[in-house]
Amino acid sequence: MANVLNHRIDFKVVFSVAGANPNGDPLNGNRPRQTSDGYGEVSDVAIKRKLRNRLQEMGEKIFVQSQDRADDGLKSLKARADSVKELKGQKDESKYQEVACQTWFDVRAFGQVFAFDKGSSVGVRGPVSIQTARSITPIMINDMQITKSVNSKDAAGRSSDTMGMKYSIDYAVYQFNGSINVQLAEKTGFTEEDANAIHEALKTLFYNDESSARPAGSMEVLRVYWWEHKNKLGDESPAKIFRTVEIKPNEGVDVVKSTEDIDWGSADSAAKTIQCDKLDIFED
């Protein structure tokens, strides 16, 4: 039987965007997400989607699958839940949680809310938390007007082409933080092997993720800082860890145009000052 995780893990991921739209905002014409002070953002939901896709490609069973990547022939979350014999009609919430966590990696990692027909629901809190990614400097957004054929019905005197917009960022570096909570890992059965799978998925986060908005090679993981502590609470607080390791441009650089503009030495040195049992720094 696999060992349930018994020590806290914190991590920081740094990635670059070159000529792509890393996460469009559907309420703002699909422009890249941006804070009020001009910094770029990628939502935690988008990051978890990419993690789920990578974990699925690594052979893990995933509950919340993208429709175009579904590997079980099921077209809804309800159908996927009902496909498990022990879950269909299950009224015991504890048993439901246990079986769901055993069945799907993303449920025991990120948690999930299972809604039932009569208005009740079963909630699972996952141990893996992911924060929103933010660029280290303000971003400049390029806009391009395009034509797209979208009319599905014939209309006299109407062109089949309509105008649209496409957005991209020339270059930016983003970072996000995350943690794995041991107390919640014990409840969902999240194991050390599961943590290793998350670690590997973070390193290859953008593999097979290309699209028209994110061309192949336009998004790249530059660093993964992975701290494993000696105990459940951790040797240092997450706030101190994340605050200590600051990803910033080299002195005198106002606009980051490549990885050479980043002060990696300072960040790596700061990461090594954290008191922990193990530190892994992945550099692509």
Side-chain angles (χ1 to χ4, degrees), residues 102-115:
Q102 290 175 350
T103 304
W104 295 292
F105 186 105
D106 57 332
V107 174
R108 66 177 178 271
F110 306 126
Q112 183 66 35
V113 175
F114 297 88

Side-chain angles (χ1 to χ4, degrees), residues 17 26 53 66 124 135 167 181 202 225 227:
V17 177
N53 292 345
S66 295
V124 178
S135 64
Y167 303 97
N181 180 295
L202 289 172
Y225 298 94
W227 296 274

